[in-house]
Structure formats: structure tokens, C-alpha cells
Amino acid sequence: QEYKSKGSSTLKDKTIIKDLTVGSPVKQLLTFALPFIFANLLQQVYNMADMVIIGQYVGSAGLAAASNSGELAMFFLFIGMGFANAGQVIISQHIGAGNRDKLKSTIGTLFTFGFILAACCTVLSLSLCNVSLRLVNIPEAAMDYAHDYAFTYFCGMIPVFGYNMVSSILRGMGDSKHPFIFIAISAVLNIGLDLLFVGVFHLECFGAALATVISQTVSFVVSIIFLYKHRDSFGFDFRRQSFRINKQALKPIVRLGLPISIQSIAISGSMLYINSCINSLGIVSAAATAVGNKITLIATICTQAMQAAGNSLVAQNFGAKKFQRVSSTLLSILCFCMVFCLLLGVLLLVFPKAIFSVFDRDPAVLELAPSYAIYCIINLVGFATRAAGFALLNGIGYASLSFAASIVDGIVARIGFSLLFGEVMHMGIEGYWLGGAIAGNVIGIVCFFYYLSGRWKKRQLVV
């Protein structure tokens, strides 16, 4: 499966680039996705370790602060992740179409452009930290904790952006094993530092955020060292001139990355708005939602892995015009994700209070657990369908449709349904949960009908 260069002397016979256009699509998907699943599992473990440790040592106020600050941080990080995903797709399409001589300029441009974005987002997020926290209506009891967490996390934007860029390059080449190793290092270090800073030194939410920043910085440094040591295997020499922004390479990155970033920001922004409405209902509602969101995100262990694998498989096979392999990949993604998500939903439905109590033992919070579990099932179906839908749209480079669907999801459906059920129909906290769950299925429905139309086969390559 190792990919030999046909048109570039910079690539050696032995290379980390994998050809995903041959062999069984299901086997290729699983082979690519499994390391990513383990990476996501570790990432969720250390994300939950933050919540568990904060919940046990700080309490409900700390939980609400960390959850809302984390959502706020993701709002800015989605900008970098959008362009990183664009880089992954472009690299995959280049490989599928046989344009291996263009990889060097794409990688160098992605690195430099990503660094500029990271620096801008760091300055912007730190400048707007206090204003942003006020806008999401964080309860006063949690405000100091939230500021400590958010400000510290924002200081670590550059290494987080950098890690995402490195991972996107490797995944675009069909390598998901090494990103797993990098995240494993980060996860183990983060959990250890969490216990030290929060449990031993009692640094509360500041300590949890500091642990995350340090661990992600170490992961980024290790990933850069790996790329440098293996620079000959994918044709990037790390010379200063190689980092110059190439206008021809930048155009597809911006054309694809900008809509992906905006779509992620739209969804994240709508979730922040709904969280601000929920936060106004009090600390119990805020804490219950924070716990529920963390539990629901367990679904991303499978869905993000399948989508990331699907992005590369679809992009390479679309670049090679192997449409049947694209269809097989999408069906496999949908089946794997649906089984995983429904199993998770059943567990939460059967043991809601036991699962919630891992994070927060407040009796008032636990009373809301069974209600959340019901709406969680609807939301999880959306997680599964979105993974297949985004793999299709990202892989073929149809960013405009992905953007439009996300706007409908984030702004029209999520905010609209949540306000309808929560405010107009006076369902309170359950209304907001129901509105968000229904909205989460919009993208999957749009992508399903687009796939059935067959028009995706006629699209031009982004590259």
C-alpha cells in the first residue's frame, strides 16, 4: 500500500503516503479509522478527566465554568481546524489525481498560513475574553473560574493550531497511526498534570487549563520533530524558502477552508447562544447541560474518526474518479457510526443517573439526567448521519453546500427550535435540549438527498 512517486524525485521509494484508491474500501476505512478511534478515545478520556477532576475538587460551578470556557475556546479553534481539514482534503486529492509534485508547496503554505491564523486568533481571543464570557451568561458563581480557564487556554492557541496542521498533513497522506501516538502523549500527560495541578496543588480551573496547554504543546513539539526526521519520505525539506506562501497553493486552501471554518463557527456560535440561554436558568441547569454535553461527545470517538478517515478516502477516490468506492465508503461510515451512537444512547437511557454521577453528584443535577437521556437519542442519530454527510462534502470539496447546511443547522434550526420549545412553548431546559437535538439532524438530511441526486459525481476537483 505504500505509494511510490511517479513524478517527483523528492520522494523516496519508501514513503508514508498511502494509496487509498485500491483494496477493500471497508478495510481501508477501518485500517485508517482505528488509530483515529483510539486517539479520539484518549482525547475524550482526558477531556472527561478535566470534568471529573474539576467536578470532584471544585464542584458544579467549576463544571459549568470549564464546559462553557471550553465551548468558547472551540469557537476560535474551529477557524484553524477548518483550514486544517481543507489541507487534508487537498493533499488527498493531489495524491488521488497524481499531483505529487504539488505537495511541497501545499504543506509549506498550510504551515505558514496556519501560524498566521493562530497568532491572530490568540490576540483576538485574549482581547475579547471578558466580553465573550459575559455574552454567554456564565453564572456569577462560575465567572472567576471561567475566566481563569478561558484566558489560560487562549494562551495556548498556537501549539493547538500547529498540532492540527501536522495531523491534517499526515491524515491527508493516509497516515492515521502517528497522529494517534501524538494525542496519546498529550492525553497521558494531561491526566497526570490535571491530578497534580487540581488535586494536589488546588489550582482549580486554572490548573486544568494549564495542564491542557502544556500537554498539547508537548504533543505539537513531538509531532514537528517527527515530521522533520521523516521529511524525505514526503518531500518537504523544512528549509526557510519552503515555508513561503505559494499563491496557487493558497487559493484552494482558502476556497475550501474558509467555508468549513465559517460553518463550524456558525454551529459553535449557535451552541454558545443556546448555552447562554440555559446558563440564565441557573447553575443546576448549566451544570446538567455541561455533563450531558460531555457524555454526548463520547459519540465523537467513532464519528470524528470515521469522518476524518472518510475525508481522505473520499478525496483520494474522488480524485481518481472511482465513484463506487466513494459510495461504499459512505455507507460503511453510516453503518459503523449508527451502531456506535445507538449503543451509547441505550446505555445513557438505561443508566442516566449512574453515568451523570461520575461527573457531578449534586442531587438536583442527577434529577435532570433521565430527561436529558431521551433527547440525547435524537441528537446521537444526527452525530452518525453528519459524519457520513461531511465526509462526502469535504472529500469532494463542496464547501459551499456544507456551509449552507451548517447555517441552516446552526442559526435557523438550532436557535429557532430551541427558542420555540424552550421559550415559546415554555418547556424550559428540556425545550432547549429538544431543539438542539432536532437541529443536529439537518445536515444529515441535506447530504442524504444531495447524494441521491448523483450531482456530486460531476463536480470538479478543488485542486
Side-chain angles (χ1 to χ4, degrees):
Q1 295 291 335
E2 290 182 333
Y3 205 29
K4 295 185 178 181
S5 172
K6 297 178 182 177
S8 173
S9 60
T10 60
L11 293 181
K12 293 182 177 182
D13 282 350
K14 186 177 181 181
T15 172
I16 61 175
I17 301 175
K18 302 294 190 300
D19 184 358
L20 303 176
T21 64
V22 295
S24 166
V26 177
K27 183 179 179 180
Q28 291 275 28
L29 179 68
L30 288 176
T31 301
F32 192 101
L34 280 177
F36 210 101
I37 287 174
F38 291 131
N40 283 347
L41 178 60
L42 285 171
Q43 194 164 20
Q44 288 303 325
V45 166
Y46 83 67
N47 283 340
M48 289 189 175
D50 272 353
M51 298 296 288
V52 171
I53 294 170
I54 290 172
Q56 300 302 321
Y57 286 96
V58 185
S60 295
L63 275 175
S67 177
N68 281 278
S69 298
E71 291 285 349
L72 194 58
M74 288 305 299
F75 180 84
F76 292 100
L77 290 177
F78 274 139
I79 298 174
M81 291 170 66
F83 288 99
N85 288 336
Q88 175 185 341
V89 170
I90 289 166
I91 288 170
S92 292
Q93 285 197 1
H94 273 315
I95 293 171
N99 303 328
R100 292 168 297 287
D101 56 323
K102 297 182 179 180
L103 291 180
K104 180 178 177 180
S105 60
T106 298
I107 293 170
T109 300
L110 187 64
F111 267 133
T112 303
F113 184 66
F115 177 80
I116 294 171
L117 275 178
C120 292
C121 285
T122 299
V123 173
L124 184 63
S125 61
L126 289 173
S127 302
L128 298 177
C129 183
N130 289 329
V131 175
S132 302
L133 292 173
R134 292 291 176 189
L135 285 176
V136 296
N137 287 328
I138 292 178
E140 284 300 323
M143 182 56 74
D144 288 340
Y145 291 139
H147 180 272
D148 290 345
Y149 192 99
F151 193 88
T152 306
Y153 200 108
F154 291 155
C155 290
M157 285 281 190
I158 290 178
V160 177
F161 271 55
Y163 167 76
N164 279 304
M165 295 300 169
V166 173
S167 294
S168 70
I169 291 169
L170 292 173
R171 290 196 300 266
M173 294 178 177
D175 179 9
S176 59
K177 180 179 70 175
H178 290 100
F180 161 64
I181 294 173
F182 304 145
I183 201 66
I185 294 171
S186 178
V188 173
L189 183 59
N190 195 352
I191 293 172
L193 292 176
D194 265 337
L195 292 171
L196 179 64
F197 292 159
V198 182
V200 178
F201 295 157
H202 305 291
L203 296 179
E204 300 175 326
C205 288
F206 164 71
L210 182 61
T212 300
V213 169
I214 291 174
S215 62
Q216 291 180 340
T217 300
V218 171
S219 180
F220 171 58
V221 172
V222 171
S223 68
I224 285 292
I225 292 173
F226 169 81
L227 281 189
Y228 182 77
K229 287 187 174 181
H230 295 82
R231 57 192 180 278
D232 290 337
S233 64
F234 60 98
F236 188 74
D237 53 21
F238 276 87
R239 295 178 180 175
R240 191 184 342 181
Q241 59 267 29
S242 299
F243 287 95
R244 292 175 181 171
I245 292 181
N246 182 298
K247 292 183 180 180
Q248 292 302 112
L250 182 62
K251 286 180 181 178
I253 292 175
V254 173
R255 191 166 73 245
L256 181 58
L258 187 60
I260 293 177
S261 295
I262 295 175
Q263 67 155 36
S264 298
I265 290 172
I267 294 176
S268 178
S270 68
M271 292 179 70
L272 284 172
Y273 175 79
I274 298 306
N275 281 345
S276 73
C277 295
I278 292 173
N279 290 337
S280 67
L281 299 178
I283 195 70
V284 172
S285 294
T289 302
V291 173
N293 287 343
K294 282 296 180 185
I295 294 170
T296 305
L297 285 177
I298 293 175
T300 61
I301 292 172
C302 177
T303 59
Q304 281 189 353
M306 288 296 170
Q307 182 187 321
N311 285 348
S312 293
L313 264 79
V314 170
Q316 282 201 25
N317 285 288
F318 184 71
K321 302 299 181 183
K322 296 185 176 182
F323 301 130
Q324 183 57 47
R325 291 178 59 84
V326 172
S327 298
S328 298
T329 299
L330 296 175
L331 180 59
S332 300
I333 292 172
L334 182 61
C335 291
F336 287 130
C337 290
M338 193 67 75
V339 170
F340 184 90
C341 288
L342 291 180
L343 285 175
L344 175 62
V346 169
L347 284 175
L348 185 57
L349 196 63
V350 176
F351 308 107
K353 292 186 178 181
I355 295 175
F356 262 59
S357 66
V358 174
F359 300 90
D360 197 334
R361 297 174 184 173
D362 186 335
V365 172
L366 296 181
E367 283 301 313
L368 293 174
S371 298
Y372 182 88
I374 297 172
Y375 305 114
C376 179
I377 297 288
I378 304 172
N379 199 13
L380 289 172
V381 172
F383 270 68
T385 56
R386 279 202 305 272
F390 275 137
L392 171 63
L393 298 185
N394 292 341
I396 66 174
Y398 198 176
S400 57
L401 178 58
S402 179
F403 168 72
S406 298
I407 292 295
V408 174
D409 171 350
I411 297 178
V412 179
R414 193 174 304 276
I415 294 178
F417 284 135
S418 295
L419 293 179
L420 172 64
F421 296 126
E423 297 290 336
V424 178
M425 299 181 66
H426 306 292
M427 291 177 62
I429 184 68
E430 293 191 27
Y432 289 114
W433 290 341
L434 176 60
I438 293 175
N441 288 271
V442 168
I443 291 176
I445 294 172
V446 170
C447 293
F448 175 72
F449 283 107
Y450 176 66
Y451 170 80
L452 289 182
S453 73
R455 297 176 63 182
W456 56 274
K457 298 178 182 178
K458 302 176 183 179
R459 286 194 58 80
Q460 298 295 316
L461 293 177
V462 176
V463 298

